[in-house]
Amino acid sequence: MDELESDRAHGARIYDYILGGNDNFAVDRQAGEATLRAWPAMRVSMRANRAFMHRVGRFLAAERGVRQFLDIGAGIPTRPNLHEVVQEVAPEARIVYVDNDPIVLAHAQALLTGTPQGRTAYISADVREPDGILGARELHDTLDLDRPVGLLIIAMLQFIEDDEEALRVTRRVLDALPSGSYLAVTIATADFAPEPLGKVREQYNAHGETLRLRTKEQAARFFEGLELEEPGVVQTHRWRPDPADAGTIADADIAMYGAVGRKP
Ligand SMILES: C[S@@+](CC[C@H](N)C(=O)[O-])C[C@H]1O[C@@H](n2cnc3c(N)ncnc32)[C@H](O)[C@@H]1O
């Protein structure tokens, strides 16, 4: 069997293609083009999602003193990756990446090239079976789970159709982390461009992938019991934007909510 399923488009590789990467196959490029035809702003939205991840990493490292990170649904390496962002602030930072796509595993070496003072590791696991992550030797060898961890789940939960399952697995991982840890997620939504996003979802469904689009209320449920950092649950481009970028992106071009919460 072709482990990479190069005859079938995959979310990780479509995302890579639309972001301008080279780690994708012809089927992914076709699906990416179809997605862009359905909604030309998809590239803007995906870039804003990635930029949100960079700002969150910098914020947690620089302003909240977080030195350990768990990035689930890490994706195909795209510089800067999370460890490059946070180790710029704190070279001793440690990062564990998780993804379940064999193509991400094939490129994982690029995620394991951090600073000599810090450390990075990769776990090939499916978040729907969180014990595979929580029991992994690489997790315990790399992170001290008695100290706060920044848990990032960025542009991944749309691939879990069932809301209760998405909430349960997120909560299960967060439960294993101590008080003072942070959760950062982005959640796909059709709230600002319902019609084109409906077409995008059809595209994903056509190649056998789910694309669950959630409302702001549904996105906020991931933060129940946590202390939300300002400005709360907002579209990714509105979460603590770099001053140079503020006001340059239209709301209608962004299909992601993002937020960061602290575990009390
Ligand atoms: C759209 S990419 C996002 C990559 C990166 N987090 C970012 O935002 O730039 C989503 C990633 O989630 C991964 N993924 C999807 N379902 C997953 C699951 N059940 N368990 C672990 N990873 C998953 C995919 O393989 C893909 O690499």
Side-chain angles (χ1 to χ4, degrees):
M1 190 190 110
D2 175 4
E3 249 235 312
L4 298 178
E5 295 189 296
S6 53
D7 56 348
R8 193 170 82 78
H10 266 230
R13 300 187 306 233
I14 297 171
Y15 183 68
D16 176 72
Y17 171 68
I18 294 179
L19 283 178
N22 298 313
D23 300 316
N24 47 70
F25 299 115
V27 279
D28 307 307
R29 296 191 279 278
Q30 279 157 18
E33 285 302 329
T35 299
L36 288 169
R37 275 196 301 278
W39 193 44
M42 184 55 119
R43 183 170 277 131
V44 178
S45 188
M46 285 182 170
R47 283 188 180 147
N49 172 75
R50 191 83 190 165
F52 170 89
M53 184 274 278
H54 297 155
R55 294 199 303 284
V56 166
R58 228 173 280 128
F59 168 77
L60 291 178
E63 296 187 41
R64 295 294 180 266
V66 178
R67 295 292 178 264
Q68 312 191 96
F69 293 85
L70 178 58
D71 181 0
I72 300 182
I76 294 169
T78 306
R79 288 179 71 96
N81 296 292
L82 180 62
H83 70 278
E84 286 144 351
V85 171
V86 300
Q87 289 183 341
E88 201 174 282
V89 178
E92 73 276 24
R94 294 176 166 225
I95 298 91
V96 174
Y97 291 106
V98 179
D99 205 288
N100 72 339
D101 192 327
I103 196 158
V104 180
L105 175 63
H107 292 280
Q109 200 52 41
L111 299 171
L112 304 177
T113 54
T115 58
Q117 305 94 314
R119 195 153 163 184
T120 61
Y122 182 84
I123 302 170
S124 184
D126 190 320
V127 74
R128 288 169 297 186
E129 288 158 20
D131 291 342
I133 302 171
L134 297 174
R137 185 180 46 78
E138 294 87 343
L139 177 70
H140 299 277
D141 282 355
T142 313
L143 306 186
D144 173 359
L145 297 190
D146 291 328
R147 290 175 40 231
V149 174
L151 170 61
L152 274 69
I153 309 180
I154 307 293
M156 201 233 82
L157 292 165
Q158 70 273 18
F159 298 121
I160 301 181
E161 183 69 33
D162 185 81
D163 290 348
E164 298 311 319
E165 183 178 28
L167 285 162
R168 190 177 63 245
V169 297
T170 303
R171 196 43 64 138
R172 173 86 179 84
V173 179
L174 198 58
D175 282 349
L177 307 180
S179 162
S181 293
Y182 287 85
L183 171 69
V185 297
T186 61
I187 301 286
T189 184
D191 284 359
F192 303 89
E195 213 178 301
L197 261 299
K199 288 190 196 141
V200 170
R201 189 179 45 212
E202 281 167 23
Q203 292 289 341
Y204 275 70
N205 293 165
H207 58 78
E209 237 165 353
T210 193
L211 190 72
R212 173 78 174 118
L213 301 165
R214 298 185 165 98
T215 63
K216 186 170 183 175
E217 289 65 35
Q218 288 165 333
R221 288 187 68 197
F222 289 88
F223 292 91
E224 276 169 14
L226 304 183
E227 298 158 358
L228 268 180
E229 290 282 357
E230 286 298 325
V233 180
V234 291
Q235 284 174 286
T236 47
H237 66 303
R238 290 185 171 274
W239 195 89
R240 297 174 183 251
D242 291 336
D245 297 334
T248 59
I249 298 175
D251 289 352
D253 288 351
I254 300 297
M256 283 280 178
Y257 287 113
V260 177
R262 181 182 179 279
K263 181 174 174 177

